[in-house]
Amino acid sequence: MEEESEKNHHQPRVGLVYDERMCTHSTPDGEDHPENPLRIKAIWEKLQFAGIPQRCVVLCAKEAEDRYIASVHTQNHINLIRNVSSKDFDSRRKRIASKLNSIYLNEGSSESAYLAAGSVTEVSERVAKGELSSAVAIVRPPGHHAEPDEAMGFCLYNNVAIAASYILNERPELGIRKILIVDWDVHHGNGTQKMFWKDPRVLFFSVHRFDFGTFYPAGDDGTYTMVGEGSGAGFNINVPWEHGRCGDADYFAVWDHVLIPVARAFNPDMILISGGFDAAIGDPLGGCRVTPYGYSVMMKKLMEFANGKIVMALEGGYNLDSLANSVLACVKTLLGDMPIVGSSEAYPFESTWRVIQAVRQELNTFWPTLADELPKKLLLASNKTSPTILISSSDSDAEDDAVPNIQSVNLVETVQDVMQPLSMLKVDQDGQDQLVDGSVPWRPVFSKIDIWYASYGSNMWRKRFLCYIEGGQVEGMQMQCSGSMDKSPPKETLWKTVPHRLFFGHSHTSTWGAGGVAFLHPESNIHERAYMCLYKITLEQFNDLLLQENGPSRHMISPLFDLIALQSVVTNKSVLLEVLKGSWYSNVVCVGKEGDLPILTLTCPISHIENFKSGKFPMHDTPSKEYANTLVKGLVEGKQLSEAEAMAYIDDASARPM
Ligand code: Q9C
Ligand code: ZN
């Protein structure tokens, strides 16, 4: 049975499976267990609350058929899972489960296992056919630990492996010849690894806590030397963390320097994600710190491949809130929603670079792209002539609140390369920044990164703009500016026109009094032309400007616009600053690049455009004389227009309908 909701034809068709019947698998005597029915319930409720099911193709679960399960599991194992829930196993079930590693069984276990495996298979087939663009299967029990002949680690059937093998072996006419399996569950996908060990059609990639062989499932299977065998050699990639506390920055580094280059070379026809969310921040088993934003970026990067044919199947994830939020972030990303920046991020650990290096070395005979030297600037303190910044040097091993053991990172060069999604100050789970020498650690870092800040409003007038840098007040302004902590003037100034609509909106500002102020339509339009004055300033100054632009200045512990936001704006053109939600200029838009540096401007969120058009927010509002004057002065002193031309330019923008 399937239920098709109304869809916008420009939106991707994202399949979504959820079925209450998978809640019948639970502990026999109601004992507490992390892998419990509330997990998928919490996810479903979160998605419903966010209005997601209406935007997806919602499908019911479907049981897998034994003949397809048999391509990865033994008949012996299938018999056990099929029969274990029957009446005549009532007395033996507990004893059977107790002989298995981290498994419970009840009368609902069989049905749930069949539904989980069948659902992943079903949506995979639909994605392979092109009937769905991508899909998410909210299933349990999970699957990736299940080995050919053994249930373990809360897993009965290996759902993802069954689906992959079905697509490759049973449906060759669909043209899916190569499948990439990305296992981002915090545990190693030992079962999946075994099933495709010698199979070059399946590239299995697992990033997991390993802790030198002590983290579940423990042993050597998850180490990076396990690369596959025979014609499958090189098609098994393990990235084993040495410890917990890994977060977005560590995962991004692995994506950028291992997974994505290999995926480019492998060129999969389809991607299956073993989507465990036990590496999420707050997970009781994982001890890692990936945020929903982190998951959305990892997902987005994978969407570049296989024509976006991605199926994500739930594996682990035991903190109900972070599980549900993370899955929501993934579904939204598949739906094409704009990412929202919600996290500040730590540097990758030193150990992360060590692991990445080891993996690249181990696999570069199979994947030549991994043979390239990692850029020196990414590596640790290797260049003694460059300034380095000491972030912290704790070696505590406590999982939750220890300061990451980050040593001297050659940030100065690293951060110049704004494409590298590295670093940021560390924000602890309680939201307290870690301080270095009693000051906020992000300023020295951000003072080394240049960007172009582009103004289309009063900041085109240099004297007015300099108030945000040097502090002060110019005629017409109601308030004194505090300026930036770094009072040095912009390194360069230049003018540009951009294909965006300039308009005036709202009817009153605290700085300029009555009258509209300038906004730039966030989307480009070749029929429009707006003047912009570009100032080359540091990211630190840009943050201080953002703060003053959006309210009275105060001590800024965390930057409003961090390196993750910078990365995001360059990738996605636009980023909404969650912290500035509600203020007029909460949208940072990248309108292009100049000499390799992004050109950033501030404007309203795209959602406000509708409000301007409908009249919910006033627009075409003639700016106050003082305010208009600052724009004219900017354009005239900047030698862009004559006074008459500048006035005509403003009149035109405030009179013309959208
Ligand atoms: N000392 C998944 O996340 N832990 N499975 C057992 C025994 C088992 C996790 C600890 C963790 C299994 C799908
Ligand atoms: Zn797990």
Side-chain angles (χ1 to χ4, degrees):
M1 184 192 95
E2 80 186 71
E3 180 185 295
E4 251 182 68
S5 41
E6 255 182 53
K7 276 168 308 294
N8 175 340
H9 284 278
H10 304 287
Q11 278 229 338
R13 291 171 57 88
V14 178
L16 205 54
V17 214
Y18 170 76
D19 198 311
E20 289 240 338
R21 288 178 289 166
M22 284 180 281
C23 293
T24 57
H25 170 62
S26 61
T27 52
D29 299 323
E31 310 95 319
D32 285 348
H33 195 281
E35 204 295 283
N36 62 64
L38 291 176
R39 296 177 59 237
I40 58 174
K41 280 199 175 121
I43 295 171
W44 190 243
E45 269 165 29
K46 172 74 71 175
L47 295 183
Q48 281 181 318
F49 188 76
I52 296 295
Q54 300 91 299
R55 302 171 59 198
C56 295
V57 180
V58 177
L59 302 156
C60 286
K62 195 178 147 182
E63 294 196 6
E65 291 182 38
D66 284 347
R67 56 189 164 136
Y68 302 138
I69 300 172
S71 76
V72 298
H73 288 291
T74 62
Q75 198 54 51
N76 179 53
H77 181 69
I78 296 172
N79 292 341
L80 174 74
I81 301 303
R82 169 164 292 285
N83 298 326
V84 78
S85 294
S86 66
K87 264 263 164 279
D88 34 309
F89 269 72
D90 275 354
S91 56
R92 284 181 281 161
R93 223 175 274 135
K94 274 197 203 156
R95 199 164 42 81
I96 294 168
S98 71
K99 293 210 172 105
L100 295 164
N101 175 348
S102 306
I103 288 291
Y104 64 76
L105 296 164
N106 73 342
E107 57 290 337
S109 298
S110 295
E111 188 189 24
S112 297
Y114 276 89
L115 289 170
S119 300
V120 178
T121 306
E122 174 73 13
V123 291
S124 298
E125 181 172 0
R126 289 178 191 246
V127 169
K129 279 182 180 155
E131 213 179 292
L132 297 172
S133 323
S134 58
V136 171
I138 306 157
V139 296
R140 66 181 286 278
H144 73 152
H145 293 307
E147 298 207 337
D149 193 35
E150 199 175 327
M152 63 180 278
F154 318 157
C155 302
L156 301 181
Y157 281 145
N158 195 317
N159 310 316
V160 163
I162 292 166
S165 132
Y166 172 80
I167 298 296
L168 292 171
N169 300 325
E170 308 293 332
R171 307 305 311 271
E173 75 279 11
L174 299 179
I176 306 293
R177 308 214 149 77
K178 291 175 286 176
I179 295 181
L180 167 63
I181 299 179
V182 175
D183 188 331
W184 71 41
D185 185 283
V186 80
H187 303 98
H188 178 230
N190 57 288
T192 317
Q193 167 167 303
K194 277 221 169 91
M195 287 156 175
F196 302 110
W197 186 243
K198 295 181 177 175
D199 194 336
R201 300 171 305 170
V202 176
L203 172 53
F204 178 64
F205 170 92
S206 180
V207 53
H208 45 268
R209 269 187 78 173
F210 185 64
D211 299 39
F212 305 99
T214 62
F215 200 75
Y216 193 86
D220 289 336
D221 282 4
T223 191
Y224 57 80
T225 55
M226 301 294 277
V227 298
E229 225 176 281
S231 61
F235 295 90
N236 195 90
I237 303 181
N238 285 322
V239 178
W241 298 137
E242 292 180 359
H243 49 70
R245 311 190 311 274
C246 294
D248 295 353
D250 304 286
Y251 281 81
F252 294 169
V254 168
W255 253 235
D256 288 347
H257 302 292
V258 180
L259 178 57
I260 298 302
V262 172
R264 204 171 285 129
F266 181 62
N267 189 209
D269 301 312
M270 184 164 174
I271 300 178
L272 302 186
I273 299 176
S274 261
F277 293 91
D278 38 14
I281 187 160
D283 188 277
L285 270 59
C288 290
R289 301 174 170 175
V290 180
T291 69
Y293 174 73
Y295 286 112
S296 72
V297 170
M298 294 195 276
M299 176 66 86
K300 182 113 195 165
K301 291 188 183 212
L302 291 174
M303 287 165 68
E304 304 288 310
F305 302 97
N307 272 316
K309 286 183 189 290
I310 297 185
V311 172
M312 183 178 93
L314 181 65
E315 301 280 1
Y318 307 102
N319 174 314
L320 297 186
D321 280 326
S322 51
L323 170 62
N325 286 326
S326 302
V327 173
L328 174 62
C330 288
V331 181
K332 280 185 167 179
T333 305
L334 289 173
L335 281 165
D337 285 9
M338 213 177 71
I340 299 219
V341 172
S343 73
S344 296
E345 183 46 28
Y347 303 100
F349 286 105
E350 182 189 2
S351 63
T352 294
W353 293 118
R354 184 162 55 240
V355 171
I356 287 174
Q357 293 271 53
V359 172
R360 289 170 61 101
Q361 211 146 60
E362 191 68 37
L363 283 147
N364 65 28
T365 52
F366 308 104
W367 306 102
T369 175
L370 301 182
D372 307 339
E373 285 269 317
L374 278 181
K376 273 240 167 54
K377 58 190 167 192
L378 290 179
L379 303 176
L380 294 164
S382 48
N383 181 354
K384 291 195 182 100
T385 61
S386 285
T388 56
I389 296 161
L390 190 73
I391 301 299
S392 92
S393 57
S394 161
D395 55 11
S396 157
D397 209 25
E399 303 286 28
D400 291 326
D401 50 18
V403 175
N405 189 10
I406 302 161
Q407 267 116 34
S408 312
V409 180
N410 180 359
L411 280 166
V412 175
E413 278 191 277
T414 302
V415 294
Q416 297 292 4
D417 192 348
V418 297
M419 296 308 161
Q420 293 302 335
L422 295 182
S423 76
M424 243 314 298
L425 76 166
K426 183 64 219 154
V427 174
D428 256 345
Q429 287 183 15
D430 62 8
Q432 280 300 316
D433 294 340
Q434 282 152 18
L435 304 181
V436 175
D437 294 339
S439 74
V440 284
W442 62 273
R443 287 190 178 273
V445 180
F446 283 31
S447 71
K448 306 287 191 318
I449 306 169
D450 289 332
I451 54 109
W452 289 100
Y453 161 68
S455 166
Y456 50 85
S458 63
N459 285 332
M460 288 192 295
W461 184 27
R462 188 180 182 85
K463 211 173 141 197
R464 166 33 184 139
F465 165 73
L466 287 177
C467 295
Y468 281 150
I469 302 294
E470 296 167 349
Q473 198 168 9
V474 289
E475 55 266 40
M477 281 168 66
Q478 310 277 301
M479 276 185 320
Q480 169 92 17
C481 288
S482 55
S484 170
M485 298 268 270
D486 175 359
K487 306 234 174 334
S488 43
K491 299 191 177 80
E492 269 182 77
T493 306
L494 62 90
W495 287 80
K496 243 185 184 323
T497 59
V498 293
H500 282 259
R501 168 67 194 268
L502 175 74
F503 66 97
F504 293 90
H506 295 290
S507 52
H508 186 95
T509 54
S510 56
T511 307
W512 304 102
V517 287
F519 289 93
L520 201 71
H521 194 302
E523 282 169 355
S524 65
N525 174 349
I526 50 161
H527 304 298
E528 301 281 350
R529 199 161 78 112
Y531 284 89
M532 297 202 110
C533 183
L534 279 56
Y535 301 100
K536 193 197 271 187
I537 57 173
T538 70
L539 197 55
E540 180 188 21
Q541 292 173 319
F542 182 66
N543 267 282
D544 289 332
L545 182 153
L546 259 176
L547 190 69
Q548 297 172 74
E549 186 78 58
N550 283 284
S553 202
R554 60 195 153 90
H555 182 59
M556 198 171 4
I557 294 173
S558 303
L560 298 174
F561 186 80
D562 61 20
L563 292 185
I564 303 292
L566 181 59
Q567 158 84 12
S568 175
V569 81
V570 170
T571 311
N572 308 304
K573 296 278 179 275
S574 166
V575 67
L576 272 184
L577 297 180
E578 188 73 1
V579 280
L580 294 180
K581 208 154 96 187
S583 39
W584 292 353
Y585 294 105
S586 62
N587 192 11
V588 180
V589 175
C590 178
V591 294
K593 283 196 173 181
E594 181 66 39
D596 255 21
L597 298 181
I599 306 169
L600 307 181
T601 195
L602 308 178
T603 190
C604 60
I606 186 80
S607 59
H608 288 190
I609 296 293
E610 281 315 308
N611 295 332
F612 282 119
K613 280 187 184 160
S614 70
K616 194 167 157 196
F617 295 163
M619 71 166 288
H620 308 309
D621 230 328
T622 313
S624 73
K625 206 168 152 42
E626 278 87 1
Y627 181 72
N629 251 336
T630 61
L631 273 65
V632 171
K633 274 192 201 137
L635 288 159
V636 172
E637 287 174 19
K639 301 195 172 34
Q640 298 304 297
L641 297 173
S642 70
E643 190 168 327
E645 285 168 335
M647 280 155 78
Y649 170 71
I650 292 166
D651 285 346
D652 178 63
S654 49
R656 212 149 34 90
M658 283 288 253

